[in-house]
Amino acid sequence: MESVNQLVLRDINSGSILRTIRDHAPISRADIGERLGLAPSTISVITKELQERNLIRECGRASSTAGRRRVLLEINPSGGHFICADLSGSQLNVAVLDLSFHLVQSWDLPMAGRRGDALYDYLRNALHVARDWCGERKLVVFNIGIATPGLVEPGTGTVLEADNLSWYEFQLQERLQQEFDCPVWVENDTNTAAYGEYRYGYGKDQHVANLMYVTIGTGIGAGLILNGQMYAGSAGMAGEIGHVVVAMDGPVCVCGNRGCVESIASAQALVRDYRTMVKSPAEVDVTIDEIIDLAEAGDPVARSLVERAGRAIGLAVGSQVNILNLHSVLFGGLAYRGTLLLQSIRKAIDAAVLPNLREQLDVREASLGPRAALVGTASLSLDRMMKGFTSA
Ligand SMILES: [Zn+2]
């Protein structure tokens, strides 16, 4: 019989082997052994086990000049699934993702102003629909991941404060955990989107270790990847770029301070200022999308507002680039609409960043679009599964 230590060691090795296959597939058993410094017999036993659990599969043979060609391994995409939900937009997006983070099924559900407990019930029901969908197809669900706006307590997944959802000290992770028969994780939406971009979007081909993902919309927030890890800060509050003060005597912000980026560049701020400046009753109902379209079309008022928003965002981001020596800054949300906003941001970053840092800096649109948070949640779920392999 194996000792507890042997079992623990085997789980640690299983996690390391899975991670190596995820990061370097297609890869042979011998190459895995070389990378991890593990004996061929250990690799052979564990990869057999992982194959029996359908987590990995063989995918051809390596080309070789001499001897037997080595069998290559990769993650088996359909070996397990994650159910992920994203509460960051105007819809509740729920999806089933496989081990290669493809969306195999998704539900885009209107939030219709639901908040508090009503929103929780709506989310729980949607997750049950997804769970049943997986059950009918006999799919193995490893865990459920939720990406929510607001401040999330690291570890407990309690939503400490999410004004838009009316969740305060809301024990989301614990409540869902009691409801479902698999682990549940709750994370901040911007952090998960940053992680999704890092692992499976922009960062997949770029091999960068330090990046910031900024989303621009109702709020302006950032997710940070530092040294290849998601950085949430000591209380989960890192990345509050929307509340960096950029105008000493600027407008009062929702946080109570004056001149924060959000007080100038959020969707609401742009709509508010456009209405004030135009004063025409016909334009009272203008939406943020219309303002951006007007700006793109050359409307002088809309253009000046969008450019000012870009300057505010760029100034705040530039200071973070100077502090953290970031390699890349990716923009999502409103930055996807048109080109003027991102151009203005870029110009302001260039003006604020030290010349040496500017040369290395890459500023661009994020690559995963509105699915970034779902993909990030699934990739965090896989990381967690590999870490606590025993419970998978
Ligand atoms: Zn503020």
Side-chain angles (χ1 to χ4, degrees):
M1 220 178 111
E2 284 175 302
S3 72
V4 173
N5 278 347
Q6 277 171 317
L7 284 175
V8 169
L9 197 62
R10 195 139 105 195
D11 280 330
I12 292 170
N13 286 339
S14 298
S16 309
I17 290 173
L18 257 186
R19 264 193 295 279
T20 306
I21 296 174
R22 174 196 65 185
D23 295 340
H24 303 286
I27 184 168
S28 69
R29 289 179 178 82
D31 287 342
I32 298 169
E34 220 164 88
R35 280 182 178 275
L36 296 176
L38 292 172
S41 56
T42 308
I43 300 284
S44 157
V45 168
I46 294 176
T47 51
K48 186 166 173 265
E49 227 174 62
L50 293 173
Q51 270 178 294
E52 281 165 6
R53 293 173 73 165
N54 280 326
L55 291 173
I56 60 170
R57 66 183 182 189
E58 293 182 349
C59 59
R61 285 175 185 272
S63 52
S64 156
T65 45
R68 249 179 61 195
R69 294 194 304 145
R70 293 166 170 177
V71 173
L72 297 172
L73 299 169
E74 65 179 4
I75 296 281
N76 177 13
S78 57
H81 292 80
F82 305 106
I83 296 174
C84 299
D86 177 13
L87 291 149
S88 61
S90 55
Q91 292 182 317
L92 164 61
N93 300 119
V94 177
V96 176
L97 292 93
D98 67 16
L99 287 185
S100 54
F101 309 115
H102 290 125
L103 271 70
V104 291
Q105 180 67 286
S106 61
W107 296 265
D108 297 337
L109 309 161
M111 301 261 259
R114 286 179 186 83
R115 288 162 160 249
D117 280 332
L119 177 62
Y120 172 77
D121 291 341
Y122 192 55
L123 169 66
R124 187 193 56 196
N125 291 341
L127 292 172
H128 272 297
V129 169
R131 191 80 181 82
D132 292 347
W133 187 89
C134 292
E136 283 158 20
R137 285 154 188 82
K138 304 210 171 359
L139 304 182
V140 176
V141 175
F142 288 127
N143 52 45
I144 294 174
I146 313 290
T148 174
L151 180 58
V152 179
E153 188 174 50
T156 65
T158 293
V159 182
L160 297 176
E161 190 182 328
D163 289 327
N164 293 341
L165 311 181
S166 296
W167 280 347
Y168 303 97
E169 305 277 338
F170 197 88
Q171 294 174 316
L172 183 60
Q173 186 169 301
E174 198 182 315
R175 287 175 73 168
L176 289 173
Q177 187 70 71
Q178 285 165 7
E179 184 80 22
F180 293 93
D181 56 352
C182 60
V184 178
W185 303 102
V186 175
E187 290 286 351
N188 169 270
D189 55 351
T190 317
N191 289 346
T192 53
Y195 198 66
E197 284 291 344
Y198 166 67
R199 276 232 163 268
Y200 295 95
Y202 168 84
K204 196 178 177 188
D205 306 315
Q206 299 286 333
H207 305 295
V208 296
N210 298 297
L211 68 81
M212 180 157 68
Y213 169 88
V214 183
T215 180
I216 310 163
T218 315
I220 297 171
L224 279 166
I225 303 295
L226 300 179
N227 294 330
Q229 303 285 325
M230 196 170 81
Y231 181 76
S234 49
M237 287 187 72
E240 287 287 355
I241 197 131
H243 299 286
V244 172
V245 175
V246 287
M248 299 284 274
D249 300 310
V252 176
C253 178
V254 286
C255 72
N257 290 343
R258 268 188 184 278
C260 295
V261 173
E262 272 191 23
S263 74
I264 295 166
S266 73
Q268 288 94 320
L270 285 165
V271 169
R272 174 201 65 206
D273 290 347
Y274 187 81
R275 283 177 185 164
T276 315
M277 287 169 78
V278 173
K279 290 192 187 111
S280 143
E283 273 145 344
V284 160
D285 289 332
V286 71
T287 64
I288 182 62
D289 289 341
E290 286 164 355
I291 292 175
I292 292 193
D293 290 346
L294 282 165
E296 293 288 327
D299 174 276
V301 174
R303 209 179 158 83
S304 72
L305 288 174
V306 170
E307 283 173 344
R308 190 177 66 145
R311 274 200 303 279
I313 296 167
L315 198 56
V317 168
S319 67
Q320 306 310 308
V321 172
N322 283 344
I323 290 169
L324 298 168
N325 187 6
L326 299 167
H327 177 279
S328 324
V329 186
L330 311 172
F331 288 90
L334 291 178
Y336 288 124
R337 282 191 72 91
T339 54
L340 183 64
L341 182 59
L342 194 55
Q343 261 173 26
S344 313
I345 292 172
R346 222 181 235 135
K347 229 165 108 183
I349 292 177
D350 274 354
V353 164
L354 286 168
N356 286 347
L357 298 175
R358 192 185 307 142
E359 280 161 29
Q360 306 159 3
L361 182 67
D362 191 11
V363 175
R364 61 172 72 205
E365 267 178 21
S367 65
L368 291 174
R371 299 297 190 199
L374 285 174
V375 171
T377 306
S379 40
L380 274 172
S381 295
L382 179 64
D383 287 3
R384 280 175 172 141
M385 190 195 99
M386 292 188 297
K387 238 183 236 167
F389 201 70
T390 27
S391 57

